[in-house]
Amino acid sequence: MAAIAEMQSSAPATEYHAKHGDQGPVIEVRDFNLWYGAAQALHDITMTIERGLVTALIGPSGCGKSTLLRCLNRMNDLVDGLTIRGTMLLEGQDIYDARTDVIALRKRMGMVFQKPNPFPMSIYENVIYPLRVDGIRDRRILDETVERALRGAALWEEAKDRLNESALGLSGGQQQRLCIARAIAGDPEVLLMDEPCSALDPIATLKIEELIDKLSGQYTIIIVTHNMQQAARVSDNTAFMYLGRLIEYGETEQVFTTPRLQRTLDYVTGRFG
Amino acid sequence: MNYVERDATRSLAEALPHSRGRVTDIAARGEPYTWALGGALALGIVMIVGFLALVLYNGATTFIPKPITVVTLADGAVVAGEPFRSESYRPGPAVLEKLAPEVRARIAANDGYAGRTLYRIGNYDIYNEDFRWVSDFEVARMGHPTDLIYAERLEWGPFIGRLKSVHVGGAVREAASMPETELARLHGEARARWQRLRGIERSEIGAVNHQIERERLAVRKAEIAHGAGSAEARQRAAEAAIRIAELQREYDRLAAEARRLREQDRAVRVTLAAIGGEEKELALSALVRFYPANAISLTGKAGIYLSRWWEFLSDEPREANTEGGVMPAIFGTFAMTLLLVIAVTPFGVITALYLREYARQGRLVSVIRISVNNLAGVPSIVYGVFGLGFFAYVLGGSIDQLFYPERLPNPTFGTGGLLWASLTLALLTVPVVIVATEEALAAVPRSMREGSLACGASKWQTIRNIVLPRAMPGIMTGIILAMARGAGEVAPLMLVGVVKLAPELPVDGFFPFVHLERSFMHLGFHIFDVGFQSRNSEAGKPMVFVTTVLLVGLIFLMNISAIAIRNRLKRKFAGSQF
Ligand SMILES: Nc1ncnc2c1ncn2[C@@H]1O[C@H](COP(=O)(O)OP(=O)(O)OP(=O)(O)O)[C@@H](O)[C@H]1O
Ligand SMILES: [Mg+2]
């Protein structure tokens, strides 16, 4: 404990004024540090993610947003030479505990990537992939899930007549919505989205933003974005990161209008970054 | 210091306008490289196309019936044969001395060269040679008499001469007075009878012998298991004796039938006369086919051509492989390649999967990877030695001890055979599959794996559902390469199971139907054998080309089908939009 306190004191303090949801935090990150080889990518991140709210991660390129997001579902386990120190809790359970079942953990967190990555299978098979890996074969459950997830991802109307066609025949925006449908098909508690709209046109982006709006409340969503308007539009809380540190973490409206730190203001108004 | 810096900036400023000249250096435009690349490509294509054209041309023309030329020599001798090839040569002084002065003058005017032609004269049993050179200056007269026939015989190679008479029963009839259709009918009947006879002798009597042998082995087995003279062994022996007596009766019946057929066969005979008058009498059924080489119509020629191809593809070889067909070799090559693919695919893919997906990428894995790549450079004969020593003697020997003790000391698996040959070639080609699979696995986009893992799939589920299907086209490429390499390999096979003439196919009607322990024939080895090991390599030369065409065609066919499968897989992944 003393060591942690010492580390906290050595790091520049983070400004916290995040909104609290009415259901309490779902994820807690405490003094989280991460190194790729010898290079430190995250410094002393401490934050809580409120259940049912949308949290946006913003910050200049290379500041560690993706790294932080991928740490939450241990996607970074694939990277060689990774060192971490600190704690991450999902509902009080340590994500990095040796006894944690990584697969079960990932089933509780859907993830949408920057580039749409549908599998080379039919649309139907793509959506039910999380159920397939659970060994569910009941056609009725699968059909229901497909409809629910595709409706949830606002793709049902476009895809319902071509469920058995290859997912690779969809447009980029449709593919991304399919990936969202896939992420929510397994009914996760948390949805992690890493720049989900960066490859999309404004209309598709709008659809996905509406979708996030619709999904908030039902899911806890963490979204990484470079688009300030988007962050302002969809999120409840915004975390501003810079050079691997969490600079300011607060209610979105305040972060964008009256941030507490000059650096945040500079970034959100486009003066650097 | 200061000076150097100033100088540097100045020279840069001065250099700039000049460095963007209007005229592009020829090397910068890259045209010489383009020419060199184009030239190299053209050279490569010319070599491949030239080789294929040579093989195809020779292979395709071998079976065309050729006219027979009758040459009367200056000394009165007569030679009849198919012109095989011509060349010019320099006759020796001893030959020149005997020639008339004007002939000698003509040769001298031609720088001492004279032409000569190689004739395929056949009738090996009479002349003791198949071919004969005839120098142009020896020739007095040339003709193409229409009554000459070219007859392919079961023994002694082709006969070139005249059909003199036909004997049916006791009657002798002049061939000239016999309608063609009747002769053809007689010949057809004789051939059918001969086929039936061969069927009885080969497969039916063979089957009876096989069953008798099995009874005998069962007795041996009982003796080994329970001890000789034990009650079980005696009982088994008694049972076997009953069965064998039954089989013996069946055998006698078949033998009598065969005897009857053979007598009938012997009663229908022909007398052939060579061009010099030497006569030869033989059973009509011993003529595989015959035709009047100089009087045959175009459709007749086409018929002969096709029937020769059919015989080549569907029949067994005869005359030390220089005649007849290569069906057993086609079958052996195909079966071996198939087994090779069945063996090499799981080996290679599993190894590559482990190396790429599971093993920690460290020094050890690098060393293994380099070793695997180097394995591809080990001479194939070394694999043959290994296959013989390890697979046949060690593995096969143990299998014999365990499962076939009753057949010892005759080896069953303890010698070269189809299985060991396929495994040896699988070993030889596994680096190709490993390397290709590793490449294919590495090429699966990371985003696919992450997408699957993020859905809560385990590593194995990800590999099975996402990575392997996606890598399949690449893996197929590796298998195709391995197949092509394996099907064309000969050297190691000579040690581990390929033989000049296999008595039985590896697949037949006797349980367990597929006999992986049997030695087999192979097109590649057949080429070597016919071309370089036979009594008369000149006669084997056309067969070398035909067999090569066949081998290339077979590999081509197998590759085409594998490529078709791969393309179907590929199409599944096409059309992705990003
Ligand atoms: N696999 C890796 N190995 C080594 N370094 C990495 C790896 N992934 C990221 N980094 C480094 O970690 C730092 C943070 O990267 P990260 O991808 O988290 O940035 P980001 O904020 O998501 O940037 P962007 O907005 O451009 O996506 C960067 O300096 C990056 O170079
Ligand atoms: Mg990123």
Side-chain angles (χ1 to χ4, degrees):
Chain A
M1 264 335 229
I4 290 174
E6 189 190 336
M7 265 163 37
Q8 268 175 332
S9 66
S10 68
T14 312
E15 278 297 329
Y16 291 103
H17 49 95
K19 186 158 87 179
H20 292 286
D22 25 328
Q23 302 165 53
V26 58
I27 293 173
E28 288 171 62
V29 182
R30 281 195 224 130
D31 303 314
F32 197 81
N33 291 272
L34 180 141
W35 291 261
Y36 287 114
Q40 188 163 9
L42 294 179
H43 298 261
D44 297 324
I45 308 286
T46 299
M47 67 191 294
T48 58
I49 307 289
E50 299 294 321
R51 186 188 299 276
L53 298 190
V54 180
T55 306
L57 291 180
I58 60 169
S61 185
C63 71
K65 308 178 295 291
S66 299
T67 303
L68 180 61
L69 198 72
R70 292 162 55 85
C71 281
L72 292 172
N73 66 347
R74 289 188 58 172
M75 215 37 130
N76 273 336
D77 286 8
L78 303 184
V79 179
D80 285 331
L82 195 79
T83 322
I84 54 157
R85 205 170 67 206
T87 330
M88 266 189 187
L89 303 176
L90 176 66
E91 295 190 318
Q93 183 200 352
D94 190 349
I95 292 174
Y96 280 91
D97 191 85
R99 280 160 304 187
T100 300
D101 179 353
V102 183
I103 292 172
L105 176 85
R106 287 188 187 138
K107 284 178 183 165
R108 296 170 64 184
M109 300 202 212
M111 188 165 201
V112 180
F113 296 82
Q114 182 167 354
K115 263 165 84 180
N117 57 351
F119 303 136
M121 322 165 169
S122 69
I123 295 173
Y124 188 93
E125 286 293 330
N126 259 282
V127 177
I128 61 164
Y129 188 76
L131 281 70
R132 276 266 189 256
V133 300
D134 283 346
I136 296 174
R137 294 237 168 64
D138 187 336
R139 194 76 198 175
R140 206 171 40 82
I141 298 180
L142 296 180
D143 286 346
E144 268 171 20
T145 307
V146 168
E147 180 162 354
R148 174 180 59 78
L150 285 177
R151 278 192 196 285
L155 192 59
W156 176 250
E157 290 306 321
E158 287 150 87
K160 67 174 185 234
D161 298 324
R162 45 192 290 200
L163 290 178
N164 290 319
E165 285 173 33
S166 168
L168 302 180
L170 295 173
S171 78
Q174 290 171 327
Q175 288 186 358
Q176 191 65 311
R177 276 179 281 148
L178 178 67
C179 291
I180 295 176
R182 189 174 70 194
I184 61 179
D187 216 10
E189 293 154 46
V190 182
L191 206 52
L192 310 173
M193 302 176 126
D194 193 350
E195 299 182 48
C197 304
S198 65
L200 304 186
D201 69 288
I203 293 170
T205 304
L206 197 66
K207 278 200 174 147
I208 288 186
E209 285 179 13
E210 285 169 2
L211 184 65
I212 293 171
D213 235 20
K214 211 175 79 188
L215 296 175
S216 72
Q218 193 181 350
Y219 299 98
T220 308
I221 298 175
I222 307 174
I223 176 171
V224 172
T225 178
H226 278 289
N227 181 334
M228 294 305 128
Q229 286 83 11
Q230 184 173 61
R233 277 195 299 266
V234 301
S235 67
D236 301 294
N237 284 324
T238 297
F240 170 58
M241 293 177 67
Y242 183 62
L243 294 181
R245 291 173 203 281
L246 182 60
I247 304 298
E248 184 162 349
Y249 179 38
E251 209 173 317
T252 298
E253 228 179 275
Q254 287 188 28
V255 170
F256 282 98
T257 52
T258 53
R260 302 212 177 146
L261 293 177
Q262 183 63 34
R263 215 188 267 151
T264 318
L265 184 67
D266 288 348
Y267 183 71
V268 298
T269 53
R271 243 167 277 166
F272 91 98
Chain B
M1 270 295 270
N2 214 346
Y3 168 76
V4 173
E5 258 171 42
R6 218 183 48 232
D7 192 55
T9 45
R10 202 192 60 213
S11 71
L12 187 67
E14 276 172 3
L16 263 173
H18 299 288
S19 67
R20 308 296 300 167
R22 294 284 158 102
V23 184
T24 314
D25 185 335
I26 192 158
R29 271 190 285 167
E31 262 160 45
Y33 306 107
T34 320
W35 296 329
L37 293 178
L41 174 72
L43 198 68
I45 289 180
V46 163
M47 285 197 304
I48 293 173
V49 168
F51 167 75
L52 280 182
L54 175 81
V55 168
L56 273 179
Y57 174 77
N58 281 293
T61 53
T62 296
F63 288 147
I64 297 177
K66 291 164 197 71
I68 295 169
T69 308
V70 174
V71 187
T72 312
L73 304 184
D75 62 5
V78 189
V79 174
E82 289 180 342
F84 201 67
R85 63 187 158 93
S86 299
E87 62 177 33
S88 54
Y89 78 120
R90 199 192 275 273
V95 178
L96 287 175
E97 221 167 82
K98 291 189 208 129
L99 295 178
E102 69 268 20
V103 177
R104 216 174 320 159
R106 215 165 341 113
I107 293 174
N110 207 4
D111 288 337
Y113 282 99
R116 62 176 179 181
T117 304
L118 185 65
Y119 286 93
R120 176 168 206 171
I121 53 174
N123 309 6
Y124 187 81
D125 42 346
I126 299 171
Y127 303 141
N128 275 322
E129 54 182 0
D130 271 323
F131 290 86
R132 174 158 179 194
W133 283 107
V134 175
S135 302
D136 291 353
F137 54 74
E138 289 178 282
V139 177
R141 217 160 0 94
M142 263 196 206
H144 294 90
T146 53
D147 60 340
L148 281 182
I149 61 156
Y150 184 95
E152 291 163 41
R153 298 180 291 180
L154 287 178
E155 281 167 354
W156 298 110
F159 187 94
I160 293 173
R162 297 191 167 83
L163 190 61
K164 197 150 170 281
S165 54
V166 180
H167 321 234
V168 183
V172 179
R173 297 174 60 185
E174 285 299 308
S177 70
M178 215 162 161
E180 228 171 82
T181 49
E182 196 187 342
L183 190 59
R185 182 180 60 78
L186 276 176
H187 182 238
E189 280 171 12
R191 287 296 292 167
R193 198 158 45 228
W194 182 81
Q195 296 282 9
R196 169 92 189 96
L197 184 64
R198 195 169 70 150
I200 290 177
E201 284 178 343
R202 295 285 301 276
S203 35
E204 294 180 27
I205 293 184
V208 172
N209 281 337
H210 182 85
Q211 280 169 328
I212 291 177
E213 175 71 7
R214 218 165 49 187
E215 292 297 327
R216 208 182 59 71
L217 286 175
V219 175
R220 268 282 287 136
K221 203 170 185 173
E223 280 174 4
I224 290 172
H226 304 285
S230 66
E232 287 91 344
R234 274 206 305 278
Q235 191 200 342
R236 194 69 196 79
E239 280 168 24
I242 298 170
R243 282 284 297 142
I244 288 178
E246 250 170 58
L247 289 166
Q248 190 62 47
R249 275 194 294 283
E250 173 71 8
Y251 178 90
D252 292 342
R253 193 185 63 72
L254 287 171
E257 165 87 359
R259 222 166 16 249
R260 193 178 59 76
L261 282 172
R262 198 170 303 115
E263 255 153 41
Q264 287 181 3
D265 184 56
R266 244 186 254 126
V268 184
R269 308 178 66 73
V270 282
T271 305
L272 302 174
I275 194 81
E278 304 92 334
E279 288 194 0
K280 194 87 196 163
E281 195 186 303
L282 69 171
L284 182 57
S285 64
L287 298 184
V288 177
R289 68 175 72 73
F290 56 89
Y291 55 89
N294 293 334
I296 190 167
S297 65
L298 203 62
T299 46
K301 266 188 182 171
I304 299 280
Y305 181 74
L306 290 180
S307 97
R308 278 174 169 174
W309 263 109
W310 175 244
E311 184 195 4
F312 183 70
L313 293 178
S314 68
D315 220 338
E316 286 169 18
R318 53 189 160 75
E319 291 289 282
N321 292 355
T322 52
E323 281 175 42
V326 294
M327 199 274 287
I330 298 176
F331 187 86
T333 310
F334 182 75
M336 190 207 69
T337 311
L338 206 67
L339 275 176
L340 152 75
V341 168
I342 292 173
V344 81
T345 306
F347 264 131
V349 172
I350 289 172
T351 311
L353 261 183
Y354 186 81
L355 280 181
R356 175 64 59 182
E357 302 285 330
Y358 286 98
R360 261 180 84 90
Q361 304 295 315
R363 186 173 304 230
L364 182 65
V365 167
S366 302
V367 169
I368 290 176
R369 205 166 272 146
I370 292 169
S371 313
V372 165
N373 287 337
N374 279 342
L375 273 185
V378 174
S380 56
I381 191 80
V382 176
Y383 284 94
V385 175
F386 176 80
L388 182 69
F390 179 70
F391 288 135
Y393 292 162
V394 176
L395 270 186
S398 317
I399 291 176
D400 279 359
Q401 296 274 330
L402 287 175
F403 299 107
Y404 302 100
E406 73 276 12
R407 298 193 193 180
L408 287 172
N410 290 343
T412 308
F413 276 98
T415 177
L418 182 58
L419 179 66
W420 302 142
S422 306
L423 287 185
T424 304
L425 285 192
L427 206 64
L428 178 88
T429 51
V430 82
V432 180
V433 178
I434 292 178
V435 170
T437 307
E438 276 212 67
E439 297 286 320
L441 291 176
V444 175
R446 201 190 159 93
S447 65
M448 289 286 153
R449 297 164 196 268
E450 291 188 341
S452 169
L453 291 172
C455 286
S458 67
K459 185 163 188 171
W460 170 241
Q461 283 172 322
T462 302
I463 289 176
R464 244 213 52 202
N465 296 327
I466 307 295
V467 176
L468 270 187
R470 182 69 200 235
M472 216 28 126
I475 297 175
M476 289 290 296
T477 305
I479 293 172
I480 291 166
L481 288 176
M483 205 161 80
R485 166 108 204 261
E489 195 63 68
V490 177
L493 296 179
M494 300 203 275
L495 297 180
V496 288
V498 162
V499 289
K500 182 184 166 74
L501 191 65
E504 294 156 308
L505 286 182
V507 174
D508 62 18
F510 301 121
F511 184 82
F513 308 119
V514 180
H515 305 274
L516 298 179
E517 79 281 4
R518 282 190 188 162
S519 51
F520 62 107
M521 291 176 71
H522 186 273
L523 284 172
F525 182 71
H526 195 83
I527 293 172
F528 170 69
D529 181 59
V530 169
F532 305 99
Q533 303 284 293
S534 63
R535 141 172 85 79
N536 189 338
S537 66
E538 195 72 61
K541 213 149 73 179
M543 296 299 271
V544 167
F545 282 112
V546 184
T547 316
T548 308
V549 168
L550 206 62
L551 179 59
V552 171
L554 190 70
I555 296 174
F556 184 75
L557 264 183
M558 288 194 280
N559 274 346
I560 285 284
S561 32
I563 288 170
I565 297 173
R566 183 182 67 186
N567 287 350
R568 269 176 70 135
L569 290 172
K570 258 191 189 157
R571 225 170 301 137
K572 254 175 81 175
F573 309 119
S576 69
Q577 307 196 6
F578 284 112

